[in-house]
Amino acid sequence: MLPYARIGAAFADALRSHESLTYPSPYGLRPLREIIARRRGVPVESVIVTNGAMGGIFLSMMAVADPGDVVLAEDPSFPQWAGTFRRFGVHVEGVGLADEGIDVDEVERRLAAGRRYAAIYTIPDFQNPTGRVSSGRVKRRLVEVAGRYGVPVIADNPYRELWFSREPAEFPQEARGASGSPLLEIGSFSKWLGPGLRVGWLIADPALVSRIAEYRLAVDGGVSAVTQAALVSMLSDERWVDDLLAHERRVYAGKATVLMDALEDRLYGDIDVVRPQGGYFLWARLPRWLRVEDDAVARELAAEGVNPLGGEAFFLAGGVRGRSCSGVHAAYARFSFAHASRDDLVEGAARLGSVARRLRPTLI
């Protein structure tokens, strides 16, 4: 599904210019920053190009945190970001998710109680792993609460473009890339142009962007000028970009439906899932006797050639492991419908269902 031929032609076009082999600006190529700014509706001075979303996370960490600080983050969450912060000596504390996103009421209670945080980390749209979408109300309130207490909000949003039927609400426009705003927005081309490109962006207060550009020279020196130039060549054709995204949304929406229906058919009564609204993932609650991390269950799954990613990998240390608001006997697993074919999604659900049927009478 990825546009290999178009990407190849764009790199060939980029290499016709000697400038693509010079050192890049630490801010990123101006034409690429302008394209990102136009598509995201922010000032170009608020945009810095990063080495993928992970590069945006790392630069955000350097901008807002010091060793010994504490970052507050939604729990469960994408585990790699927490590893980056912890290796830097930053502590991570979890806060639960509500139906509309991060639990802002709990965030406000902790801040009002005098807890000091270097930042609040959230994945607002099609969250990894749960697939939840933060509502416009939650996004606005989170920025308001964070601004009142002087705490930056790191909004890691690599899946935003892959909505199925309705585009998610934005953070309040007056906070996006504005001077004095607590909001840092991270985006990426990885999820819809190819992760191997390793190009993303960070949108923040222009003064913060300038500071990041200065000290990143001692970190990575900036993003490959060749890759940035190739992206400019591709992304300048806005109609092509819009058509590609529309196609990918249709494909992923169809695959999400196939996986959802197959899991419900093969594990009827033994699985609880919410239909994804976008992104890559389906988050499932399984019965206690089907914990995929348990050795006996893992052996049965391995014999079927099935290797689901257990939910415990996504809960932060000290967070709520293997528990949902509706009961303490639930386990979780994350299923991705992005890469596998429709046939493999159906086959995987069938094999998981076969294991569930074999284990149910012996372990209950």
Side-chain angles (χ1 to χ4, degrees):
M1 184 169 59
L2 298 179
Y4 295 99
R6 188 69 174 251
I7 291 172
F11 271 90
D13 185 54
L15 288 169
R16 292 190 179 96
S17 168
H18 294 297
E19 292 182 358
S20 65
L21 292 180
T22 62
Y23 285 114
S25 162
Y27 289 91
L29 296 188
R30 177 79 183 197
L32 182 57
R33 294 172 67 210
E34 290 173 347
I35 289 170
I36 295 167
R38 184 167 60 251
R39 291 194 65 85
R40 297 298 297 126
V42 297
V44 67
E45 293 77 18
S46 303
V47 177
I48 186 167
V49 182
T50 66
N51 281 292
M54 286 301 298
I57 292 170
F58 182 80
L59 292 173
S60 298
M61 176 195 68
M62 291 187 65
V64 304
D66 291 309
D69 284 347
V70 181
V71 170
L72 184 63
E74 56 198 18
D75 191 17
S77 187
F78 171 59
Q80 272 77 4
W81 81 267
T84 298
F85 274 66
R86 286 168 175 151
R87 279 188 288 274
F88 192 65
V90 175
H91 305 287
V92 177
E93 184 178 315
V95 62
L97 286 166
D99 289 342
E100 295 182 35
I102 191 170
D103 189 342
V104 186
D105 289 338
E106 179 60 23
V107 171
E108 186 170 22
R109 279 193 291 269
R110 296 192 198 184
L111 292 172
R115 302 291 291 273
R116 297 178 62 84
Y117 298 106
I120 301 165
Y121 175 88
T122 180
I123 306 173
D125 298 325
F126 317 122
Q127 198 249 13
N128 182 4
T130 67
R132 293 191 188 184
V133 180
S134 293
S135 67
R137 182 189 68 82
V138 163
K139 288 171 179 171
R140 175 170 292 280
R141 186 151 170 256
L142 179 61
V143 169
E144 289 173 350
V145 170
R148 192 185 323 141
Y149 288 93
V151 182
V153 173
I154 300 173
D156 183 12
N157 219 2
Y159 304 99
R160 178 182 172 81
E161 297 278 10
L162 296 177
W163 45 271
F164 295 162
S165 60
R166 184 173 62 184
E167 183 176 3
E170 294 277 14
F171 281 94
Q173 187 61 35
E174 63 270 20
R176 302 184 60 241
S179 297
S181 171
L183 182 64
L184 294 81
E185 292 182 88
I186 297 168
S188 177
F189 296 109
S190 292
K191 301 300 183 283
W192 56 278
L193 275 179
L197 294 170
R198 306 309 307 138
V199 180
W201 62 85
L202 174 62
I203 296 169
D205 176 342
L208 184 61
V209 166
S210 294
R211 291 208 306 273
I212 291 171
E214 288 177 8
Y215 59 64
R216 85 175 304 182
L217 289 172
V219 178
D220 60 18
V223 177
S224 160
V226 175
T227 305
Q228 291 187 72
L231 282 169
V232 171
S233 176
M234 284 186 286
L235 300 175
S236 297
D237 186 345
E238 294 187 8
R239 181 172 180 178
W240 175 81
V241 172
D242 291 341
D243 287 347
L244 175 64
L245 281 169
H247 171 64
E248 292 188 3
R249 289 167 187 147
R250 288 192 297 271
V251 171
Y252 286 134
K255 292 169 74 172
T257 298
V258 166
L259 177 58
M260 177 104 179
D261 292 347
L263 287 171
E264 289 184 333
D265 178 55
R266 297 293 184 159
L267 287 98
Y268 179 76
D270 292 334
I271 192 167
D272 182 13
V273 295
V274 176
R275 190 171 295 275
Q277 302 174 54
Y280 276 9
F281 305 116
L282 184 150
W283 183 242
R285 192 177 65 201
L286 303 169
R288 187 175 186 177
W289 49 265
L290 196 58
R291 282 184 181 273
V292 299
E293 293 95 345
D294 290 349
D295 289 343
V297 176
R299 283 194 297 271
E300 292 285 341
L301 291 170
E304 291 282 353
V306 179
N307 183 28
L309 188 54
E312 293 212 356
F314 299 95
F315 285 94
L316 301 170
V320 184
R321 286 181 172 268
R323 191 181 78 190
S324 75
C325 59
S326 60
V328 296
H329 300 301
Y332 291 94
R334 190 196 73 175
F335 300 90
S336 174
F337 46 81
H339 184 71
S341 68
R342 292 184 178 217
D343 288 343
D344 282 348
L345 292 172
V346 172
E347 177 66 17
R351 295 186 189 190
L352 183 62
S354 176
V355 171
R357 287 190 297 274
R358 287 203 303 273
L359 292 181
R360 187 187 301 113
T362 60
L363 293 184
I364 287 181

